[in-house]
Amino acid sequence: MLQVSYIRENREEVLNRLSVRNFKNPELVDQIIKLDDDRRQTQTLLDSIAAEANAAAKKVGELMRQGLKEEAEAIKAKTTSFKEQTRTIGDKLSAIEILLQAELVLLPNLPHHSVPKGIGADDNQVAFEHGVIPQLMAAALPHWELAAKYDIIDFELGNKIAGAGFPVYKGKGAKLQRALINFFLDNAEAAGYREMQPPIVVNEASGFGTGQLPDKEGQMYHITGDNLYLIPTAEVPVTNLYRDVILKAEELPIKNCAYTPCFRREAGSYGAHVRGLNRLHQFDKVEIVQVVHPDHSYEVLENMSNYVQSLLQKLELPYRVLSLCGGDMGFTSAKTYDMEVWCAAQARWLEVSSVSNFETYQTNRLKLRYKSGDGKPQLAHTLNGSALALPRIVASLLENNQDDKGIKIPAALVPYTGFEYIS
RNA sequence: GGAGAGAUGCCUGAGUGGCCGAAAGGAACAGUUUGCUAAACUGUCGUACUGGCAACGGUACCGAGGGUUCGAAUCCCUCUCUCUCCGCCA
């Protein structure tokens, strides 16, 4: 959520940067400023009436103590009108505040100056490419067929016990999952991230804090009996650890990582491109999250991007880095890099990580601030990224590394799997 | 699941209708002093909104929401959460 004060003071800039996103509703900006004017006026009025009422009440108290009953009663009689007024104006104020809030959450984050203007995925810029596109043998198979051939991932069995999008990993397939999780966690720890193991259900306040609620409610699994949500990403619990927190400046940066299963209903996304591991309702992911001083967040974004790339390099996967254009970025992001790996049998790039700087967009909702010396609390910046999400990594490992003997495990992973081949 | 207790500032904790934005202690920070990995003393020490160039004011917040009252941390109602005991159990 953007700060109203920023919008007021930088109206032109806000409009310019929203246009980078191809934002359809720029008149919202002026509506918000207008509403905030109303809010201020109403607030001032309410405050002055409350001040009068407080003074009168205090006077009554004094008079009572002095035993001047009649004079006290006289003032009491006068104060009754305050009550009515405070109620009316107070109601008006909260109505304005609700409206203002409702409009404010409709404004996406402002893209950073380096974000290219654009409408959709076609306008994203390829910032970097790495690795060699493998040439597969003629009999090469897509990963869902390889998974069946080597009996390592069973989609049918998952259908039976849960439903589509809940695969069962078997034997070396299961062990490969475990190996990847440990590989990612060990690397994150070596890069200075502190491992956290958060709950995989969250309450409503947490869903609001990171922006899943109220609007993206349909994307999360909801446990109605206890009003909890299954997390769509570890970003939600790990970032919410710092909701309503004022940190000391010297506590920054905070670098956390977490492995969790992630649950996504993916309502409405079905079709040819979601076969096999391409899109699941439940998947495993290691997430990295940082809370940083605003002066360093873009430097940190590059670090995080490089870190994610280092993982892909160790896994010897060909990948590219996209600098997302304004129109393709997530609502809450100021700048995002997507990492895509090449899936040789499907012959397509698959997104395996998304690294974003949210600047103050999340922290304004979370009320996550830092304080240096005797200064006022300031909103911190948050960033996060997948490092990494497993299914598509597995998909590309299977497809890219297949040969006539089986699936070759990259050397960096062998200490974790304990085997070199799936055959 | 049954029974009970509780929720106050960074922490502990006092406060049962006006003198309470809130005692006291601790922690933290700044300073003074004693010549030293420490003590003593002094001071500072919540957040948000809002008015003002500023100095300096106003308002709100004692888990959340409502109510009673001229006036609520304090009384009433609802909700949420936490803790203890019993039951069940990994």
Side-chain angles (χ1 to χ4, degrees):
Chain A
M1 199 163 64
L2 298 177
Q3 296 171 87
V4 186
S5 56
Y6 184 87
I7 298 173
R8 295 182 73 98
E9 287 158 26
N10 304 277
R11 180 178 169 278
E12 291 303 315
E13 173 76 357
V14 168
L15 287 169
N16 283 337
R17 287 167 72 188
L18 284 176
S19 76
V20 171
R21 264 187 188 275
N22 196 36
F23 183 61
K24 297 283 199 295
N25 226 349
E27 59 276 11
L28 210 51
V29 172
D30 285 332
Q31 284 173 31
I32 285 169
I33 293 173
K34 171 84 171 47
L35 264 180
D36 190 53
D37 286 339
D38 281 358
R39 192 195 109 252
R40 286 177 182 222
Q41 263 182 29
T42 313
Q43 174 88 58
T44 309
L45 182 59
L46 182 64
D47 283 357
S48 65
I49 293 167
E52 268 188 82
N54 286 347
K58 197 166 235 175
K59 190 82 185 163
V60 172
E62 278 169 29
L63 292 171
M64 293 293 250
R65 238 171 298 123
Q66 292 164 19
L68 301 169
K69 259 206 162 138
E70 283 167 33
E71 293 169 46
E73 287 301 328
I75 294 175
K76 266 201 212 181
K78 277 197 256 175
T79 54
T80 42
S81 74
F82 288 139
K83 209 174 198 178
E84 182 97 358
Q85 284 185 69
T86 333
R87 179 180 289 274
T88 317
I89 298 166
D91 286 351
K92 187 183 166 198
L93 181 63
S94 38
I96 292 171
E97 279 172 347
I98 288 166
L99 203 57
L100 182 60
Q101 181 77 4
E103 298 209 343
L104 225 36
V105 299
L106 296 177
L107 278 188
N109 203 351
L110 303 176
H112 185 251
H113 294 106
S114 64
V115 171
K117 193 174 170 127
I119 296 172
D122 293 340
D123 303 313
N124 294 335
Q125 290 177 354
V126 177
F128 187 71
E129 281 194 64
H130 180 271
V132 181
I133 303 292
Q135 298 303 311
L136 296 186
M137 55 187 180
L141 300 172
H143 71 266
W144 50 88
E145 290 185 28
L146 292 166
K149 179 177 174 183
Y150 297 111
D151 194 26
I152 51 172
I153 306 172
D154 196 325
F155 294 97
E156 296 305 315
L157 213 42
N159 286 346
K160 174 179 157 186
I161 59 166
F166 294 96
V168 174
Y169 301 88
K170 301 157 80 174
K172 284 186 171 173
K175 200 156 185 193
L176 177 58
Q177 294 289 112
R178 202 145 50 84
L180 282 166
I181 293 163
N182 284 332
F183 173 74
F184 292 144
L185 283 174
D186 285 353
N187 274 279
E189 190 184 0
Y193 292 91
R194 183 180 187 210
E195 182 178 347
M196 304 292 237
Q197 219 175 83
I200 59 171
V201 295
V202 293
N203 56 25
E204 273 184 86
S206 302
F208 178 82
T210 30
Q212 281 73 25
L213 295 176
D215 35 322
K216 290 175 208 138
E217 197 156 19
Q219 287 299 326
M220 288 195 289
Y221 288 95
H222 186 200
I223 302 162
T224 51
D226 296 291
N227 197 25
L228 294 169
Y229 295 84
L230 289 179
I231 58 170
T233 158
E235 167 194 344
V236 179
V238 174
T239 312
N240 271 282
L241 297 175
Y242 302 94
R243 172 157 44 86
D244 293 321
V245 167
I246 299 175
L247 296 160
K248 292 188 192 117
E250 54 272 23
E251 291 178 85
L252 300 175
I254 287 171
K255 301 174 73 175
N256 287 331
C257 66
Y259 153 71
T260 66
C262 302
F263 302 88
R264 297 186 183 179
R265 295 188 62 225
E266 302 289 0
S269 56
Y270 299 97
H273 275 180
V274 300
R275 289 198 68 174
L277 295 169
N278 290 353
R279 190 173 296 267
L280 297 174
H281 287 309
Q282 178 181 335
F283 63 95
D284 292 306
K285 180 160 65 66
V286 172
E287 183 81 2
I288 50 177
V289 175
Q290 292 209 36
V291 182
V292 306
H293 190 284
D295 290 352
H296 304 134
S297 65
Y298 280 93
E299 195 184 311
V300 169
L301 179 68
E302 297 303 318
N303 288 343
M304 288 173 77
S305 162
N306 290 334
Y307 169 70
V308 171
Q309 292 179 56
S310 76
L311 296 175
L312 296 172
Q313 287 168 18
K314 285 180 187 172
L315 293 175
E316 302 168 49
L317 292 171
Y319 69 88
R320 63 180 190 180
V321 180
L322 300 181
S323 179
L324 295 196
C325 76
D328 203 34
M329 274 197 322
F331 195 76
T332 56
S333 174
K335 185 176 173 75
T336 297
Y337 291 118
D338 273 6
M339 283 68 181
E340 298 186 331
V341 296
W342 180 252
C343 256
Q346 297 181 71
R348 53 187 287 236
W349 295 100
L350 285 182
E351 179 191 333
V352 292
S353 177
S354 192
V355 182
S356 300
N357 184 359
F358 302 98
E359 297 192 6
T360 60
Y361 198 87
Q362 288 186 326
T363 53
N364 191 29
R365 270 200 179 199
L366 292 161
K367 298 205 193 68
L368 164 50
R369 290 164 291 172
Y370 69 93
K371 196 169 168 179
S372 42
D374 48 0
K376 284 255 129 198
Q378 304 287 327
L379 293 173
H381 283 193
T382 53
L383 304 96
N384 66 48
S386 349
L388 287 156
L390 298 223
R392 294 173 184 172
I393 292 292
V394 171
S396 65
L397 283 176
L398 295 183
E399 294 189 14
N400 295 5
N401 295 3
Q402 58 183 308
D403 58 31
D404 47 9
K405 287 180 288 178
I407 313 288
K408 190 178 188 314
I409 302 298
L413 213 51
V414 171
Y416 289 88
T417 56
F419 51 82
E420 294 177 20
Y421 255 89
I422 296 173
S423 52

